[in-house]
Amino acid sequence: MIEELAVLQNPWWKDKDAIYEDEKVKSATSKDPKIIFEPLTENAVIIGPRQVGKTTYMKLAIMQLISRGVDPRNILYFSCDLLKDYREIVELITWFLRRRRGHAFVFLDEVTFLNDWERAIKFLLDSPLSPRMTLQVTGSTSAGLKRESFPGRNIRIVEFLPLSFSDVVDLLYPELREIPLPHPNPATSKDFYENAEELYPYFDELMRAFEVYLEVGGYPGSIKGKNLKDAVRESIFLDVLKLGRSERIALSIILGLLRRYGDRITLNSLAKELEIGSHVTIRDYLELFEELMIGRNYFQVRPENFTPLFRKERKFYFMDPLVVSSLSEMFGIAIPTSKIVEGIVGEHLSRAYPTYYLVARKEVDFVTKYFGVEVKWQSTVTPSDFPRVPIREKILLSKHDLAFHEPRNLAVIPLPLFLYQIRKSHISIRPT
């Protein structure tokens, strides 16, 4: 049975050109903007939310292997939704490798919901089969990886997240990649400001790209014009059920988060508001949303030593604008654009730095070890919009204003010009 399923899912075994007829490949390469992911070359566990393009990544990687002359029969793709447990993973790969000569490439899709899937990966990496193959697997939850991270084994764990704003700019305006910035790795407010000066002639292009990103987010299918809101929403609750959690409780907590989107919350206050018996349940579901890679918790930090204050109030933002719009439309709740923009900034910072927020006399939206960021999605700002707190490097994000205030070491930067500088991707795209 497994062998028959393998033959069905690998039509390039019969005709190497069949990969070019694959729907994922055709969608990625035939309609602008074309999205080509740079394939990894090592063993990898690739974790990211559903609908984000992990299957497309695998199919494009197969296409590139075949185009480089790799024997198509040495490439196995298998959707693990069709398997029962880790034993069938081992059975599948053992069967495949026994009938092939030379180095093989194995792509296992959506493996992380199979019971004990980590055991299969560990067995394969430790077995004599390991040198004969490059193994890449995808999944939609990081829950298992907290229990087992394959210590000492030849495999890399990679996040596959929705495209960042800079990725979207690269797709829409690839010529902007050629702009030489004075600080390729900015670390201070002055660095970001001087880079923004170089980018300012392209303000209109970057603002148009941000308006697109704000509307459709970083899901490749959505960028290409597909309406993914229903699919994204349904996949969230499907995965909640697969992990043995309550869809009703998940719905209730998401509703509570949307009502107070981006505000400071405590676990107790949210439990009381939603009439959920324990704050522990709230905590568990907020952690679940992080494991499903649809949102992040942001904790307060002690400024003098940058120690997180996990027992204090926290903030929660969903990871991508598409997730926000999908869930808010479900409940008929209008989220202020300024709050969605705050979440976008927090997500981009979190991909590059450990990111928290600060409460002193006033709140600073986000802080890293290197700088603090205050988000003001409004037409005009003044230096006083950044609270007077003990942070040396200060960045105030605006809609339009660009300035540097020496007395406070404060950079005022249009938000798209700042976000474009946060270029932290784990899976790279290659504009065509």
Side-chain angles (χ1 to χ4, degrees):
M1 180 64 177
I2 290 179
E3 294 86 346
E4 294 174 1
L5 291 173
V7 171
L8 287 173
Q9 293 186 67
N10 294 269
W12 45 88
W13 291 353
K14 295 180 179 178
D15 177 5
K16 68 177 183 179
D17 292 331
I19 186 61
Y20 300 102
E21 298 303 315
D22 183 271
E23 289 302 319
K24 299 288 186 182
V25 170
K26 289 167 65 176
S27 176
T29 60
S30 65
K31 182 179 178 182
D32 289 333
K34 296 180 176 64
I35 300 176
I36 306 296
F37 297 105
E38 290 287 356
L40 301 170
T41 58
E42 67 267 58
N43 297 329
V45 178
I46 302 169
I47 302 296
R50 290 187 188 269
Q51 303 295 329
V52 81
K54 300 187 299 295
T55 301
T56 298
Y57 159 80
M58 286 189 155
K59 295 297 182 68
L60 290 172
I62 292 168
M63 179 190 74
Q64 291 176 60
L65 288 170
I66 292 174
S67 68
R68 294 207 314 260
V70 172
D71 184 346
R73 296 188 178 186
N74 278 12
I75 303 170
L76 170 69
Y77 168 86
F78 202 92
S79 173
C80 293
D81 289 330
L82 301 171
L83 299 180
K84 296 178 182 178
D85 57 28
Y86 75 95
R87 295 181 183 86
E88 291 195 338
I89 297 176
V90 175
E91 178 185 340
L92 168 69
I93 296 178
T94 302
W95 166 81
F96 172 68
L97 291 177
R98 281 177 177 168
R99 56 194 297 275
R100 304 310 312 153
R101 293 181 180 179
H103 193 79
F105 298 85
V106 177
F107 298 90
L108 302 179
D109 205 1
E110 288 298 344
V111 73
T112 53
F113 286 103
L114 286 180
N115 289 334
D116 294 329
W117 66 272
E118 308 98 319
R119 293 180 63 181
I121 305 305
K122 287 167 57 180
F123 172 82
L124 292 166
L125 293 175
D126 293 341
S127 75
L129 300 174
S130 182
R132 291 191 52 205
M133 66 176 170
T134 298
L135 173 66
Q136 295 186 8
V137 306
T138 71
S140 298
T141 173
S142 63
L145 295 180
K146 292 189 177 181
R147 297 188 300 270
E148 174 54 70
S149 57
F150 310 105
R153 292 177 174 87
N154 180 29
I155 194 164
R156 179 181 169 198
I157 298 172
V158 181
E159 288 186 334
F160 194 120
L161 301 176
L163 300 183
S164 68
F165 173 64
S166 64
D167 291 328
V168 174
V169 174
D170 290 345
L171 291 172
L172 300 180
Y173 302 102
E175 66 276 11
L176 297 193
R177 292 195 73 155
E178 305 304 318
I179 301 171
L181 298 180
H183 306 285
N185 298 297
T188 68
S189 54
K190 196 67 173 285
D191 290 348
F192 281 102
Y193 169 74
E194 291 176 351
N195 282 350
E197 283 189 308
E198 296 298 316
L199 292 169
Y200 199 75
Y202 307 93
F203 175 88
D204 289 344
E205 289 89 341
L206 289 166
M207 183 58 80
R208 283 196 294 270
F210 185 71
E211 290 168 353
V212 170
Y213 184 76
L214 188 58
E215 179 180 355
V216 304
Y219 284 70
S222 184
I223 294 168
K224 283 178 166 288
K226 293 182 181 178
N227 185 344
L228 293 181
K229 291 181 180 179
D230 288 345
V232 167
R233 185 167 54 238
E234 290 167 4
S235 67
I236 290 171
F237 296 111
L238 174 64
D239 288 347
V240 166
L241 291 172
K242 281 188 173 183
L243 289 171
R245 306 298 181 90
S246 164
E247 181 180 6
R248 181 187 62 79
I249 293 176
L251 282 166
S252 180
I253 293 174
I254 288 172
L255 175 59
L257 293 171
L258 291 172
R259 284 174 174 167
R260 303 167 63 176
Y261 195 67
D263 293 344
R264 284 182 272 167
I265 57 173
T266 67
L267 301 179
N268 283 322
S269 66
L270 200 55
K272 183 177 180 181
E273 175 187 331
L274 301 175
E275 298 182 346
I276 290 175
S278 169
H279 72 278
V280 175
T281 302
I282 301 292
R283 182 200 64 198
D284 289 348
Y285 275 79
L286 294 183
E287 291 177 356
L288 171 67
F289 298 153
E290 285 198 333
E291 291 170 351
L292 293 175
M293 308 182 88
I294 61 168
R296 293 188 196 267
N297 292 279
Y298 294 83
F299 297 95
Q300 291 186 45
V301 71
R302 185 175 286 114
E304 57 269 20
N305 56 13
F306 213 68
T307 303
L309 303 172
F310 295 114
R311 293 183 178 272
K312 295 283 189 178
E313 294 171 304
R314 69 180 71 190
K315 297 194 290 187
F316 186 93
Y317 296 96
F318 290 105
M319 188 174 286
D320 188 88
L322 181 65
V323 178
V324 178
S325 61
S326 173
L327 295 173
S328 62
E329 287 181 12
M330 176 184 183
F331 290 105
I333 295 176
I335 306 297
T337 301
S338 61
K339 290 293 187 180
I340 300 174
V341 170
E342 277 182 24
I344 291 172
V345 172
E347 175 59 27
H348 281 68
L349 290 172
S350 294
R351 295 187 189 188
Y353 318 94
T355 301
Y356 306 92
Y357 75 100
L358 176 66
V359 177
R361 283 167 288 183
K362 291 187 177 180
E363 177 184 319
V364 177
D365 290 327
F366 302 103
V367 293
T368 74
K369 279 190 174 182
Y370 306 101
F371 50 81
V373 176
E374 182 71 11
V375 184
K376 295 295 181 186
W377 187 243
Q378 55 198 44
S379 297
T380 59
V381 298
T382 66
S384 61
D385 286 319
F386 196 107
R388 291 192 174 274
V389 293
I391 296 176
R392 172 169 172 72
E393 303 291 341
K394 296 176 279 291
I395 299 172
L396 176 60
L397 300 182
S398 67
K399 270 190 178 180
H400 305 290
D401 295 348
L402 177 65
F404 194 84
H405 299 271
E406 292 283 357
R408 295 193 62 196
N409 198 39
L410 170 65
V412 180
I413 302 175
L415 189 144
L417 277 63
F418 173 78
L419 283 188
Y420 184 66
Q421 300 181 54
I422 309 294
R423 306 185 68 89
K424 185 70 173 179
S425 295
H426 298 281
I427 297 285
S428 299
I429 62 166
R430 172 162 50 86
T432 59

